[in-house]
PDB file of all heavy atoms in Angstrom:
ATOM      1  N   GLY A   1     -21.285  10.413 -12.063  1.00  0.00           N
ATOM      2  CA  GLY A   1     -20.086  10.774 -12.803  1.00  0.00           C
ATOM      3  C   GLY A   1     -19.284  11.847 -12.099  1.00  0.00           C
ATOM      4  O   GLY A   1     -18.042  11.862 -12.176  1.00  0.00           O
ATOM      5  N   TYR A   2     -19.970  12.771 -11.409  1.00  0.00           N
ATOM      6  CA  TYR A   2     -19.257  13.827 -10.690  1.00  0.00           C
ATOM      7  C   TYR A   2     -18.370  13.234  -9.595  1.00  0.00           C
ATOM      8  O   TYR A   2     -17.179  13.562  -9.497  1.00  0.00           O
ATOM      9  CB  TYR A   2     -20.245  14.822 -10.089  1.00  0.00           C
ATOM     10  CG  TYR A   2     -19.597  15.799  -9.149  1.00  0.00           C
ATOM     11  CD1 TYR A   2     -18.728  16.772  -9.623  1.00  0.00           C
ATOM     12  CD2 TYR A   2     -19.808  15.728  -7.773  1.00  0.00           C
ATOM     13  CE1 TYR A   2     -18.099  17.662  -8.757  1.00  0.00           C
ATOM     14  CE2 TYR A   2     -19.185  16.604  -6.900  1.00  0.00           C
ATOM     15  CZ  TYR A   2     -18.336  17.568  -7.395  1.00  0.00           C
ATOM     16  OH  TYR A   2     -17.706  18.434  -6.533  1.00  0.00           O
ATOM     17  N   LEU A   3     -18.937  12.359  -8.765  1.00  0.00           N
ATOM     18  CA  LEU A   3     -18.149  11.773  -7.688  1.00  0.00           C
ATOM     19  C   LEU A   3     -17.031  10.902  -8.241  1.00  0.00           C
ATOM     20  O   LEU A   3     -15.929  10.862  -7.684  1.00  0.00           O
ATOM     21  CB  LEU A   3     -19.064  10.955  -6.766  1.00  0.00           C
ATOM     22  CG  LEU A   3     -20.123  11.757  -6.019  1.00  0.00           C
ATOM     23  CD1 LEU A   3     -20.992  10.835  -5.165  1.00  0.00           C
ATOM     24  CD2 LEU A   3     -19.492  12.841  -5.149  1.00  0.00           C
ATOM     25  N   GLN A   4     -17.296  10.213  -9.336  1.00  0.00           N
ATOM     26  CA  GLN A   4     -16.251   9.414  -9.966  1.00  0.00           C
ATOM     27  C   GLN A   4     -15.098  10.302 -10.422  1.00  0.00           C
ATOM     28  O   GLN A   4     -13.917   9.969 -10.246  1.00  0.00           O
ATOM     29  CB  GLN A   4     -16.830   8.634 -11.151  1.00  0.00           C
ATOM     30  CG  GLN A   4     -17.797   7.543 -10.735  1.00  0.00           C
ATOM     31  CD  GLN A   4     -18.713   7.101 -11.861  1.00  0.00           C
ATOM     32  OE1 GLN A   4     -18.691   7.673 -12.956  1.00  0.00           O
ATOM     33  NE2 GLN A   4     -19.527   6.092 -11.605  1.00  0.00           N
ATOM     34  N   SER A   5     -15.434  11.474 -10.987  1.00  0.00           N
ATOM     35  CA  SER A   5     -14.381  12.376 -11.463  1.00  0.00           C
ATOM     36  C   SER A   5     -13.580  12.946 -10.304  1.00  0.00           C
ATOM     37  O   SER A   5     -12.359  13.131 -10.410  1.00  0.00           O
ATOM     38  CB  SER A   5     -14.995  13.508 -12.306  1.00  0.00           C
ATOM     39  OG  SER A   5     -15.716  14.424 -11.500  1.00  0.00           O
ATOM     40  N   LYS A   6     -14.228  13.212  -9.179  1.00  0.00           N
ATOM     41  CA  LYS A   6     -13.504  13.728  -8.016  1.00  0.00           C
ATOM     42  C   LYS A   6     -12.605  12.641  -7.413  1.00  0.00           C
ATOM     43  O   LYS A   6     -11.501  12.931  -6.937  1.00  0.00           O
ATOM     44  CB  LYS A   6     -14.483  14.260  -6.971  1.00  0.00           C
ATOM     45  CG  LYS A   6     -15.312  15.444  -7.431  1.00  0.00           C
ATOM     46  CD  LYS A   6     -14.467  16.665  -7.747  1.00  0.00           C
ATOM     47  CE  LYS A   6     -14.028  17.401  -6.499  1.00  0.00           C
ATOM     48  NZ  LYS A   6     -13.327  18.679  -6.839  1.00  0.00           N
ATOM     49  N   TRP A   7     -13.068  11.389  -7.454  1.00  0.00           N
ATOM     50  CA  TRP A   7     -12.245  10.294  -6.948  1.00  0.00           C
ATOM     51  C   TRP A   7     -10.991  10.136  -7.805  1.00  0.00           C
ATOM     52  O   TRP A   7      -9.876  10.001  -7.280  1.00  0.00           O
ATOM     53  CB  TRP A   7     -13.039   8.991  -6.926  1.00  0.00           C
ATOM     54  CG  TRP A   7     -12.258   7.838  -6.371  1.00  0.00           C
ATOM     55  CD1 TRP A   7     -12.119   7.499  -5.052  1.00  0.00           C
ATOM     56  CD2 TRP A   7     -11.477   6.889  -7.109  1.00  0.00           C
ATOM     57  NE1 TRP A   7     -11.303   6.392  -4.925  1.00  0.00           N
ATOM     58  CE2 TRP A   7     -10.892   5.996  -6.170  1.00  0.00           C
ATOM     59  CE3 TRP A   7     -11.221   6.701  -8.462  1.00  0.00           C
ATOM     60  CZ2 TRP A   7     -10.073   4.939  -6.555  1.00  0.00           C
ATOM     61  CZ3 TRP A   7     -10.391   5.649  -8.859  1.00  0.00           C
ATOM     62  CH2 TRP A   7      -9.828   4.776  -7.908  1.00  0.00           C
ATOM     63  N   VAL A   8     -11.151  10.151  -9.119  1.00  0.00           N
ATOM     64  CA  VAL A   8      -9.995  10.001 -10.004  1.00  0.00           C
ATOM     65  C   VAL A   8      -9.032  11.172  -9.796  1.00  0.00           C
ATOM     66  O   VAL A   8      -7.805  10.986  -9.752  1.00  0.00           O
ATOM     67  CB  VAL A   8     -10.441   9.899 -11.472  1.00  0.00           C
ATOM     68  CG1 VAL A   8      -9.224   9.905 -12.400  1.00  0.00           C
ATOM     69  CG2 VAL A   8     -11.267   8.638 -11.700  1.00  0.00           C
ATOM     70  N   ALA A   9      -9.572  12.387  -9.660  1.00  0.00           N
ATOM     71  CA  ALA A   9      -8.706  13.548  -9.423  1.00  0.00           C
ATOM     72  C   ALA A   9      -7.920  13.381  -8.122  1.00  0.00           C
ATOM     73  O   ALA A   9      -6.734  13.737  -8.049  1.00  0.00           O
ATOM     74  CB  ALA A   9      -9.534  14.824  -9.388  1.00  0.00           C
ATOM     75  N   GLU A  10      -8.564  12.829  -7.090  1.00  0.00           N
ATOM     76  CA  GLU A  10      -7.848  12.586  -5.832  1.00  0.00           C
ATOM     77  C   GLU A  10      -6.710  11.577  -6.033  1.00  0.00           C
ATOM     78  O   GLU A  10      -5.664  11.671  -5.384  1.00  0.00           O
ATOM     79  CB  GLU A  10      -8.796  12.081  -4.747  1.00  0.00           C
ATOM     80  CG  GLU A  10      -9.431  13.173  -3.925  1.00  0.00           C
ATOM     81  CD  GLU A  10      -9.841  12.691  -2.535  1.00  0.00           C
ATOM     82  OE1 GLU A  10      -9.217  11.728  -2.026  1.00  0.00           O
ATOM     83  OE2 GLU A  10     -10.769  13.281  -1.966  1.00  0.00           O
ATOM     84  N   GLN A  11      -6.918  10.606  -6.905  1.00  0.00           N
ATOM     85  CA  GLN A  11      -5.840   9.643  -7.165  1.00  0.00           C
ATOM     86  C   GLN A  11      -4.650  10.335  -7.814  1.00  0.00           C
ATOM     87  O   GLN A  11      -3.492  10.019  -7.504  1.00  0.00           O
ATOM     88  CB  GLN A  11      -6.344   8.499  -8.057  1.00  0.00           C
ATOM     89  CG  GLN A  11      -7.581   7.778  -7.546  1.00  0.00           C
ATOM     90  CD  GLN A  11      -7.517   7.458  -6.067  1.00  0.00           C
ATOM     91  OE1 GLN A  11      -6.656   6.700  -5.611  1.00  0.00           O
ATOM     92  NE2 GLN A  11      -8.428   8.031  -5.302  1.00  0.00           N
ATOM     93  N   LEU A  12      -4.910  11.297  -8.720  1.00  0.00           N
ATOM     94  CA  LEU A  12      -3.816  12.067  -9.305  1.00  0.00           C
ATOM     95  C   LEU A  12      -3.083  12.865  -8.230  1.00  0.00           C
ATOM     96  O   LEU A  12      -1.847  12.966  -8.245  1.00  0.00           O
ATOM     97  CB  LEU A  12      -4.345  13.008 -10.384  1.00  0.00           C
ATOM     98  CG  LEU A  12      -4.911  12.369 -11.654  1.00  0.00           C
ATOM     99  CD1 LEU A  12      -5.274  13.458 -12.658  1.00  0.00           C
ATOM    100  CD2 LEU A  12      -3.928  11.383 -12.274  1.00  0.00           C
ATOM    101  N   VAL A  13      -3.848  13.424  -7.309  1.00  0.00           N
ATOM    102  CA  VAL A  13      -3.231  14.156  -6.200  1.00  0.00           C
ATOM    103  C   VAL A  13      -2.345  13.222  -5.382  1.00  0.00           C
ATOM    104  O   VAL A  13      -1.241  13.592  -4.975  1.00  0.00           O
ATOM    105  CB  VAL A  13      -4.321  14.804  -5.313  1.00  0.00           C
ATOM    106  CG1 VAL A  13      -3.735  15.277  -3.991  1.00  0.00           C
ATOM    107  CG2 VAL A  13      -4.977  15.965  -6.047  1.00  0.00           C
ATOM    108  N   GLY A  14      -2.825  12.004  -5.154  1.00  0.00           N
ATOM    109  CA  GLY A  14      -2.024  11.041  -4.412  1.00  0.00           C
ATOM    110  C   GLY A  14      -0.721  10.711  -5.119  1.00  0.00           C
ATOM    111  O   GLY A  14       0.342  10.609  -4.483  1.00  0.00           O
ATOM    112  N   LEU A  15      -0.782  10.560  -6.441  1.00  0.00           N
ATOM    113  CA  LEU A  15       0.439  10.307  -7.212  1.00  0.00           C
ATOM    114  C   LEU A  15       1.396  11.494  -7.108  1.00  0.00           C
ATOM    115  O   LEU A  15       2.625  11.317  -7.005  1.00  0.00           O
ATOM    116  CB  LEU A  15       0.089  10.037  -8.675  1.00  0.00           C
ATOM    117  CG  LEU A  15      -0.692   8.748  -8.959  1.00  0.00           C
ATOM    118  CD1 LEU A  15      -1.121   8.707 -10.430  1.00  0.00           C
ATOM    119  CD2 LEU A  15       0.135   7.521  -8.606  1.00  0.00           C
ATOM    120  N   ALA A  16       0.837  12.705  -7.140  1.00  0.00           N
ATOM    121  CA  ALA A  16       1.672  13.898  -7.022  1.00  0.00           C
ATOM    122  C   ALA A  16       2.342  13.955  -5.651  1.00  0.00           C
ATOM    123  O   ALA A  16       3.530  14.301  -5.530  1.00  0.00           O
ATOM    124  CB  ALA A  16       0.827  15.145  -7.259  1.00  0.00           C
ATOM    125  N   ARG A  17       1.597  13.615  -4.611  1.00  0.00           N
ATOM    126  CA  ARG A  17       2.172  13.595  -3.266  1.00  0.00           C
ATOM    127  C   ARG A  17       3.321  12.585  -3.187  1.00  0.00           C
ATOM    128  O   ARG A  17       4.350  12.845  -2.575  1.00  0.00           O
ATOM    129  CB  ARG A  17       1.092  13.213  -2.248  1.00  0.00           C
ATOM    130  CG  ARG A  17       0.123  14.318  -1.877  1.00  0.00           C
ATOM    131  CD  ARG A  17      -0.971  13.689  -1.039  1.00  0.00           C
ATOM    132  NE  ARG A  17      -1.771  14.664  -0.333  1.00  0.00           N
ATOM    133  CZ  ARG A  17      -2.849  14.351   0.394  1.00  0.00           C
ATOM    134  NH1 ARG A  17      -3.230  13.082   0.473  1.00  0.00           N
ATOM    135  NH2 ARG A  17      -3.540  15.274   1.008  1.00  0.00           N
ATOM    136  N   ASP A  18       3.107  11.427  -3.801  1.00  0.00           N
ATOM    137  CA  ASP A  18       4.148  10.396  -3.779  1.00  0.00           C
ATOM    138  C   ASP A  18       5.442  10.893  -4.421  1.00  0.00           C
ATOM    139  O   ASP A  18       6.530  10.454  -4.047  1.00  0.00           O
ATOM    140  CB  ASP A  18       3.663   9.138  -4.505  1.00  0.00           C
ATOM    141  CG  ASP A  18       2.554   8.415  -3.767  1.00  0.00           C
ATOM    142  OD1 ASP A  18       2.366   8.684  -2.558  1.00  0.00           O
ATOM    143  OD2 ASP A  18       1.855   7.593  -4.389  1.00  0.00           O
ATOM    144  N   ARG A  19       5.306  11.814  -5.377  1.00  0.00           N
ATOM    145  CA  ARG A  19       6.491  12.374  -6.023  1.00  0.00           C
ATOM    146  C   ARG A  19       7.080  13.549  -5.247  1.00  0.00           C
ATOM    147  O   ARG A  19       8.117  14.095  -5.637  1.00  0.00           O
ATOM    148  CB  ARG A  19       6.150  12.839  -7.438  1.00  0.00           C
ATOM    149  CG  ARG A  19       5.784  11.708  -8.373  1.00  0.00           C
ATOM    150  CD  ARG A  19       5.519  12.228  -9.773  1.00  0.00           C
ATOM    151  NE  ARG A  19       5.036  11.161 -10.650  1.00  0.00           N
ATOM    152  CZ  ARG A  19       4.690  11.337 -11.920  1.00  0.00           C
ATOM    153  NH1 ARG A  19       4.787  12.547 -12.475  1.00  0.00           N
ATOM    154  NH2 ARG A  19       4.242  10.331 -12.643  1.00  0.00           N
ATOM    155  N   GLY A  20       6.404  13.960  -4.184  1.00  0.00           N
ATOM    156  CA  GLY A  20       6.938  15.030  -3.359  1.00  0.00           C
ATOM    157  C   GLY A  20       6.280  16.380  -3.522  1.00  0.00           C
ATOM    158  O   GLY A  20       6.741  17.375  -2.949  1.00  0.00           O
ATOM    159  N   LEU A  21       5.180  16.459  -4.291  1.00  0.00           N
ATOM    160  CA  LEU A  21       4.475  17.737  -4.428  1.00  0.00           C
ATOM    161  C   LEU A  21       3.678  18.019  -3.157  1.00  0.00           C
ATOM    162  O   LEU A  21       3.028  17.116  -2.613  1.00  0.00           O
ATOM    163  CB  LEU A  21       3.537  17.719  -5.634  1.00  0.00           C
ATOM    164  CG  LEU A  21       4.126  18.165  -6.980  1.00  0.00           C
ATOM    165  CD1 LEU A  21       5.127  17.140  -7.480  1.00  0.00           C
ATOM    166  CD2 LEU A  21       3.013  18.374  -7.995  1.00  0.00           C
ATOM    167  N   PRO A  22       3.679  19.270  -2.684  1.00  0.00           N
ATOM    168  CA  PRO A  22       2.923  19.625  -1.480  1.00  0.00           C
ATOM    169  C   PRO A  22       1.453  19.910  -1.816  1.00  0.00           C
ATOM    170  O   PRO A  22       1.111  21.022  -2.227  1.00  0.00           O
ATOM    171  CB  PRO A  22       3.645  20.881  -0.979  1.00  0.00           C
ATOM    172  CG  PRO A  22       4.204  21.503  -2.232  1.00  0.00           C
ATOM    173  CD  PRO A  22       4.509  20.383  -3.176  1.00  0.00           C
ATOM    174  N   VAL A  23       0.602  18.924  -1.660  1.00  0.00           N
ATOM    175  CA  VAL A  23      -0.814  19.065  -2.004  1.00  0.00           C
ATOM    176  C   VAL A  23      -1.671  18.643  -0.815  1.00  0.00           C
ATOM    177  O   VAL A  23      -1.547  17.518  -0.322  1.00  0.00           O
ATOM    178  CB  VAL A  23      -1.208  18.213  -3.228  1.00  0.00           C
ATOM    179  CG1 VAL A  23      -2.624  18.571  -3.680  1.00  0.00           C
ATOM    180  CG2 VAL A  23      -0.212  18.395  -4.362  1.00  0.00           C
ATOM    181  N   SER A  24      -2.518  19.538  -0.350  1.00  0.00           N
ATOM    182  CA  SER A  24      -3.497  19.215   0.690  1.00  0.00           C
ATOM    183  C   SER A  24      -4.840  18.934   0.046  1.00  0.00           C
ATOM    184  O   SER A  24      -5.182  19.529  -0.983  1.00  0.00           O
ATOM    185  CB  SER A  24      -3.632  20.371   1.685  1.00  0.00           C
ATOM    186  OG  SER A  24      -2.453  20.533   2.443  1.00  0.00           O
ATOM    187  N   VAL A  25      -5.587  18.036   0.660  1.00  0.00           N
ATOM    188  CA  VAL A  25      -6.932  17.707   0.185  1.00  0.00           C
ATOM    189  C   VAL A  25      -7.926  18.095   1.272  1.00  0.00           C
ATOM    190  O   VAL A  25      -7.772  17.699   2.440  1.00  0.00           O
ATOM    191  CB  VAL A  25      -7.060  16.205  -0.139  1.00  0.00           C
ATOM    192  CG1 VAL A  25      -8.497  15.857  -0.508  1.00  0.00           C
ATOM    193  CG2 VAL A  25      -6.110  15.823  -1.265  1.00  0.00           C
ATOM    194  N   HIS A  26      -8.932  18.854   0.895  1.00  0.00           N
ATOM    195  CA  HIS A  26      -9.992  19.266   1.816  1.00  0.00           C
ATOM    196  C   HIS A  26     -11.293  18.644   1.329  1.00  0.00           C
ATOM    197  O   HIS A  26     -11.873  19.095   0.334  1.00  0.00           O
ATOM    198  CB  HIS A  26     -10.103  20.795   1.861  1.00  0.00           C
ATOM    199  CG  HIS A  26      -8.824  21.478   2.225  1.00  0.00           C
ATOM    200  ND1 HIS A  26      -8.469  21.758   3.528  1.00  0.00           N
ATOM    201  CD2 HIS A  26      -7.788  21.910   1.444  1.00  0.00           C
ATOM    202  CE1 HIS A  26      -7.281  22.347   3.544  1.00  0.00           C
ATOM    203  NE2 HIS A  26      -6.857  22.452   2.294  1.00  0.00           N
ATOM    204  N   ARG A  27     -11.725  17.576   1.990  1.00  0.00           N
ATOM    205  CA  ARG A  27     -12.975  16.898   1.620  1.00  0.00           C
ATOM    206  C   ARG A  27     -14.137  17.568   2.334  1.00  0.00           C
ATOM    207  O   ARG A  27     -14.193  17.591   3.565  1.00  0.00           O
ATOM    208  CB  ARG A  27     -12.899  15.416   1.987  1.00  0.00           C
ATOM    209  CG  ARG A  27     -11.883  14.624   1.173  1.00  0.00           C
ATOM    210  CD  ARG A  27     -11.911  13.165   1.574  1.00  0.00           C
ATOM    211  NE  ARG A  27     -10.879  12.392   0.864  1.00  0.00           N
ATOM    212  CZ  ARG A  27     -10.186  11.413   1.404  1.00  0.00           C
ATOM    213  NH1 ARG A  27     -10.412  11.062   2.678  1.00  0.00           N
ATOM    214  NH2 ARG A  27      -9.278  10.766   0.703  1.00  0.00           N
ATOM    215  N   VAL A  28     -15.067  18.088   1.541  1.00  0.00           N
ATOM    216  CA  VAL A  28     -16.143  18.920   2.066  1.00  0.00           C
ATOM    217  C   VAL A  28     -17.472  18.184   1.946  1.00  0.00           C
ATOM    218  O   VAL A  28     -17.751  17.537   0.933  1.00  0.00           O
ATOM    219  CB  VAL A  28     -16.197  20.258   1.303  1.00  0.00           C
ATOM    220  CG1 VAL A  28     -17.296  21.148   1.845  1.00  0.00           C
ATOM    221  CG2 VAL A  28     -14.841  20.969   1.383  1.00  0.00           C
TER     222      VAL A  28
END
């Protein structure tokens, strides 16, 4: 469930980027 939640959160970040928000993703 943790990894699933991080994946979904990354999809929200992707949608935000598509709208022009400056968001970097650091996969650790």
Side-chain angles (χ1 to χ4, degrees):
Y2 170 69
L3 296 179
Q4 292 160 355
S5 71
K6 297 297 282 186
W7 182 85
V8 174
E10 270 205 27
Q11 306 315 297
L12 293 185
V13 166
L15 293 173
R17 282 172 165 175
D18 291 343
R19 294 183 186 178
L21 271 69
V23 189
S24 292
V25 175
H26 304 270
R27 293 182 184 143
V28 181

